[in-house]
Amino acid sequence: MINKETISLALKLFIITALSALILAFVNKITAPVIERNSIESFNKSQAEVLPEAVSFTKTDFSDVALDLEGVKIDSLSIGLGNDNNCIGYVASTVCSEGYGGDVKVMVGLTPDLKILKAKILSASETPGLGAKASEPKFIDQYKGKSGILSVIKGTASNENEIAAISGATITSNAVTKAVNATTSLLQKKMENGFNAKEISETNEIKDKIIEETEKQISENPDTMTNNSENKGEGN
Amino acid sequence: MLKELLIISLSAILIENFVLVKFLGICPFLGVSKKVNTAMGMGFAVIFVMACASALTWLVQQYILVPFNIEYLQTIAFILVIAVLVQFVEMFLQKNIPVLYKSLGIYLPLITTNCAVLGVAILNITKFSAVSGSFIKSLVYGTMAGVGFTLAIVLFAGVRERLESSDIPKFLKGMPITLIAASLLSIAFMGFSGLKF
Amino acid sequence: MRGLKVFLNGLLKENPSLVLLLGMCPTLAVTTGVSNAIGMGLSATAVLICSNFVISLLRKFIPSKIRIAGYIVIIASFVTVVQMFLQAYVPSLYDSLGLFIPLIVVNCIILGRAEAFASKNNIFLSALDGLGMGLGFTLSLTLIATIREILGNGTWLGISLFGEGFQPASIMILAPGAFLTLGCILAVINLISAKRNGGNKNA
C-alpha cells in the first residue's frame, strides 16, 4: 500500500509545511511585541477615556471575590490613581456572552463611591443598525452618573436605576447592562473584602515600573508616544 | 443556555444570514444556484461540512493551538483541517453511503474553498471565547449558519429559475440581473433584523 | 513586451472581479468605504505577488498530485504574514477588515492564478501576473467602494463631499447596496461591450 511515491509526496508536503511554519514563527517573533504593545496602548487609552482624571492605573487582583455571575466574565480590574497616589476611581472590563452576535466587551469607569463615570463598548459583533447602536452616545451615555444594579426597560426610562433599551435590540441592551452590573457587584464585594495593604504597596511599585517603561518607550520610539498623547487629548 | 442557543440560531439563519448579510460563501451562492435541486444538494453538503468543521476547529484551537502558544498558525491550521475533513467526508460517503455520495459528491470538492466554512471556524473562536459552553455554541452556530446558507441559496435558486424564462433587457441578462435579484432578496432579509425579543 | 501584456491582461482584459467574477466575497463585503477597499486590494495584491512568485519557483518541485494542498499551505502562510504585519503596524485597518483578512486564503483569485498561471510560467511573468491581477482587483474594489461610499455616506475616503443638506441613502453601504452596485456595474460593462461588438458587425 505504502510505496515510494507516497513517501516522497508526504515528504515534499511536509517540507513545504515545515518551511512555512518556520517563516511564520520568524515573522511572529517580529510582530508579536508590536501587536502586544498596540493592545496595551489601546487598553490604556480606553482606561483613560472612562476615567479621565486618573494619572495612572494599576491592575488589581480580584480572585478573592466570589461572584455568582452567569454569562459574564470579569477580564480586569484596575484602580485609577490621582496625582499623589490616592485612589480616585476604578476601571473594570467585563465580557458578557449573551449578546446577539456573541461576546460583548464593556469597560466601565467608576468613582470611589461606585457612581458610573462612563461606560464604553470595547468590542462587540452586534447587528449593524440595531445592536451596534449600543456604542452611540444616546444609549451608552445613559449609564453616566448611575449607580447600583440597573435594569433595562423598553420605552423611556423614568426611574433612577433604569436604562432605556435600544429599540429593536433589547438583547444587546441587556448584555451591556449585565456587564455593567457585574462591574458594580464585583466592586461592592471587593470593597467589603477591602483592598489589602500589600496590593496598595504593589500598586506603587507597579506605578514606578510603568513610569520607567513609558520613559523607555519615549526614548525608543518618540513618534508613537506623541500620537498617543494627541489621541488622549481628544477624549470623547 | 437553551434560550441563548435559540438566539444564536435565529441570528445565524435569518438576521445575520451568512450569504446575504455577512457576504460569506458568495461564490457558490452565485455559481450553484441555477436550479433548486442542485442548490439543495450544495446546501446540505455545506451544512454537514460546516457542522463538522466547527467542532473540529474548536478542538484544534483549544487543544493544539492554545496550549502550544501557536495561535498565529490559526489560518493555516484551520484551512488544512477543513481540506482534510472534506477529503475524508468524500471518501467516507463514497464507501459507506453511496446514495448520499451520489447526490452530494460533486459539491464536496468545491466546499474547501467556500469561504463560509473557514469564516465560521474563525468567527466561532472570536465570538464565543469568554465564557463556558463555547463548544456547544460553536457547533450550533456552525450548523445554523449552514442552514442559513442553504435557505438563502435555495430561495435564490427559485428566483433564478423564474428569471430564466422572463423577458429581460439584453444588457441585464446573466450576471447583472442575478445580482440585482440578490440585492432584493437581501433587502427582504434586512426585514428580519426587526425581530424583537 | 510579453510582460506588459501579462500585466495589462490582469488589470483590464481579464479583471478578476469584474470580468472573471472571482473573489466575490471581499468584493462585496469590504467595499463599504474606499479606504477599506484599497487596504483589502493591496493586501490581496501582496499575497498574490508572493504566492505566484513562490509557486512558480517551486513548480518543478511540487508534484501535481499534492499541488492544491501545497498551494494552499503557501498561500495561507503569506496571508498570515500579511495579517500579522497589518495587526502590528496598521491596527485600524486590521480591525475594520477583520475576518476578511484570513479569508484571503480562500479567495478564488489567488488559488486560481496559482493553478492557471504561476504553475506554468516563469518567476518573472508570474510575479507580474500577480501584480496585474492584484491591481485589477484593487481597482475594481475601489470603483465599487467609491460608488457606495459617495451614495451611501456622502463621503469619499472619509472626506465629506456634500454639505449638511445631503441625505445619504444608507442602503448603499448596507448589504443590498453591494449586490446592486456590482449588478449595475456589470450591466454597464455589458452595454459597452455589446455596443463595441455591434459596431464591429456594422463595419
Side-chain angles (χ1 to χ4, degrees):
Chain A
M1 184 94 179
I2 296 173
N3 54 24
K4 248 186 182 172
E5 201 202 348
T6 318
I7 295 172
S8 127
L9 287 182
L11 202 68
K12 281 184 174 175
L13 200 55
F14 178 75
I15 293 172
I16 295 172
T17 320
L19 270 179
S20 304
L22 215 65
I23 293 168
L24 287 180
F26 176 69
V27 177
N28 182 55
K29 219 178 162 190
I30 304 173
T31 53
V34 186
I35 293 169
E36 169 112 22
R37 203 177 65 200
N38 282 344
S39 81
I40 292 173
E41 257 172 33
S42 76
F43 186 81
N44 288 345
K45 225 177 89 186
S46 307
Q47 282 195 329
E49 205 180 307
V50 294
L51 192 61
E53 279 157 36
V55 179
S56 68
F57 295 93
T58 172
K59 282 203 175 172
T60 313
D61 177 53
F62 51 88
S63 53
D64 55 317
V65 182
L67 279 175
D68 182 30
L69 296 169
E70 205 201 319
V72 186
K73 203 183 116 215
I74 314 262
D75 258 359
S76 75
L77 173 66
S78 314
I79 306 176
L81 299 170
N83 267 327
D84 28 272
N85 262 342
N86 52 337
C87 163
I88 60 159
Y90 307 101
V91 174
S93 77
T94 45
V95 187
C96 179
S97 63
E98 290 170 7
Y100 215 101
D103 297 347
V104 180
K105 269 191 191 176
V106 182
M107 185 180 263
V108 187
L110 304 104
T111 59
D113 53 347
L114 300 190
K115 218 174 187 182
I116 295 167
L117 279 169
K118 192 178 161 69
K120 184 182 155 78
I121 313 268
L122 292 183
S123 74
S125 37
E126 302 301 281
T127 321
L130 289 164
K133 280 189 182 161
S135 307
E136 289 177 7
K138 196 187 161 209
F139 175 76
I140 201 79
D141 281 356
Q142 289 185 85
Y143 293 97
K144 258 182 200 167
K146 296 251 162 59
S147 58
I149 299 299
L150 308 171
S151 58
V152 175
I153 59 155
K154 294 181 189 179
T156 38
S158 46
N159 280 330
E160 178 51 27
N161 55 357
E162 280 175 358
I163 297 288
I166 307 159
S167 69
T170 319
I171 290 185
T172 311
S173 316
N174 274 328
V176 177
T177 309
K178 215 168 169 180
V180 174
N181 283 340
T183 308
T184 310
S185 32
L186 166 79
L187 275 161
Q188 279 170 350
K189 289 248 175 76
K190 181 75 192 168
M191 284 169 108
E192 275 170 29
N193 291 3
F195 290 89
N196 57 43
K198 193 182 146 231
E199 263 165 348
I200 292 185
S201 68
E202 261 180 12
T203 294
N204 292 341
E205 269 170 37
I206 290 168
K207 198 192 160 196
D208 292 341
K209 213 173 153 194
I210 288 172
I211 291 172
E212 233 169 64
E213 271 171 13
T214 327
E215 274 164 2
K216 211 169 126 198
Q217 263 180 20
I218 291 172
S219 59
E220 270 173 5
N221 203 347
D223 288 349
T224 52
M225 291 313 290
T226 42
N227 278 342
N228 200 26
S229 57
E230 270 167 25
N231 287 341
K232 236 179 216 172
E234 282 166 22
N236 285 344
Chain B
M1 189 68 186
L2 212 61
K3 193 182 156 213
E4 262 176 71
L5 291 182
L6 188 74
I7 291 173
I8 290 173
S9 312
L10 265 180
S11 159
I13 299 175
L14 297 176
I15 298 141
E16 299 207 320
N17 187 284
F18 255 49
V19 180
L20 295 168
V21 180
K22 278 195 171 330
F23 294 123
L24 293 167
I26 297 287
C27 292
F29 176 70
L30 295 175
V32 205
S33 60
K34 282 203 173 124
K35 291 252 153 42
V36 173
N37 285 342
T38 48
M40 288 270 215
M42 184 68 181
F44 283 111
V46 167
I47 295 179
F48 189 62
V49 172
M50 268 166 108
C52 300
S54 293
L56 266 178
T57 50
W58 188 89
L59 292 173
V60 167
Q61 172 83 12
Q62 296 299 322
Y63 294 106
I64 300 178
L65 298 183
V66 173
F68 290 102
N69 242 333
I70 45 171
E71 279 116 319
Y72 60 90
L73 291 179
Q74 193 192 55
T75 314
I76 214 169
F78 282 10
I79 189 76
L80 284 178
V81 166
I82 291 167
V84 170
L85 174 75
V86 170
Q87 197 76 53
F88 186 75
V89 167
E90 200 180 343
M91 289 193 298
F92 177 82
L93 287 184
Q94 197 172 12
K95 237 183 181 174
N96 296 310
I97 322 174
V99 186
L100 199 61
Y101 177 75
K102 247 186 174 170
S103 54
L104 299 187
I106 47 168
Y107 308 109
L108 282 170
L110 290 173
I111 292 177
T112 312
T113 52
N114 181 343
C115 54
V117 182
L118 182 61
V120 83
I122 299 172
L123 271 180
N124 278 336
I125 305 297
T126 49
K127 260 168 130 46
F128 311 118
S129 55
V131 194
S132 60
S134 65
F135 180 73
I136 295 293
K137 280 185 191 171
S138 300
L139 191 59
V140 169
Y141 188 70
T143 316
M144 290 307 164
V147 173
F149 175 86
T150 310
L151 179 70
I153 195 172
V154 170
L155 279 178
F156 192 54
V159 174
R160 279 185 84 173
E161 277 188 356
R162 295 240 159 176
L163 279 179
E164 284 290 290
S165 55
S166 35
D167 189 20
I168 311 163
K170 212 176 165 193
F171 67 98
L172 285 177
K173 269 202 175 127
M175 227 5 122
I177 193 71
T178 308
L179 283 163
I180 291 168
S183 163
L184 292 176
L185 193 59
S186 168
I187 292 181
F189 266 73
M190 271 175 76
F192 288 119
S193 60
L195 272 182
K196 286 191 190 181
F197 291 91
Chain C
M1 211 41 228
R2 175 95 203 278
L4 188 73
K5 215 174 145 196
V6 166
F7 174 71
L8 285 179
N9 184 42
L11 199 61
L12 299 170
K13 207 176 135 208
E14 287 191 7
N15 185 296
S17 21
L18 295 180
V19 181
L20 301 182
L21 296 178
L22 292 173
M24 282 293 109
C25 299
T27 306
L28 297 170
V30 302
T31 48
T32 50
V34 174
S35 57
N36 280 358
I38 295 175
M40 181 69 196
L42 293 184
S43 310
T45 308
V47 174
L48 250 173
I49 297 173
C50 297
S51 66
N52 261 9
F53 180 84
V54 171
I55 287 166
S56 167
L57 192 71
L58 296 178
R59 67 185 189 276
K60 301 227 167 67
F61 174 76
I62 302 177
S64 69
K65 268 187 185 168
I66 52 159
R67 68 179 191 288
I68 299 294
Y71 296 165
I72 287 181
V73 171
I74 292 167
I75 295 168
S77 316
F78 284 117
V79 169
T80 314
V81 169
V82 167
Q83 188 181 1
M84 290 193 278
F85 274 114
L86 283 181
Q87 198 179 0
Y89 301 107
V90 205
S92 58
L93 186 65
Y94 176 82
D95 284 340
S96 59
L97 292 181
L99 179 64
F100 285 92
I101 302 173
L103 288 185
I104 297 176
V105 178
V106 280
N107 189 325
C108 354
I109 298 174
I110 295 168
L111 197 61
R113 288 329 281 176
E115 173 83 5
F117 198 93
S119 58
K120 299 186 186 85
N121 288 284
N122 66 32
I123 303 169
F124 174 69
L125 281 181
S126 300
L128 214 57
D129 176 71
L131 182 70
M133 282 286 164
L135 289 183
F137 181 59
T138 314
L139 204 69
S140 35
L141 283 191
T142 314
L143 174 69
I144 298 169
T146 302
I147 298 174
R148 289 183 67 193
E149 197 183 334
I150 290 179
L151 292 179
N153 209 17
T155 56
W156 193 78
L157 251 178
I159 308 156
S160 185
L161 293 180
F162 312 102
E164 283 285 303
F166 180 72
Q167 189 62 253
S170 47
I171 187 114
M172 292 306 285
I173 53 171
L174 294 175
F179 288 113
L180 191 65
T181 313
L182 188 62
C184 292
I185 293 177
L186 292 181
V188 170
I189 293 178
N190 268 1
L191 262 182
I192 294 171
S193 57
K195 251 193 194 140
R196 261 200 197 155
N197 289 344
N200 288 345
K201 264 176 212 159
N202 289 342

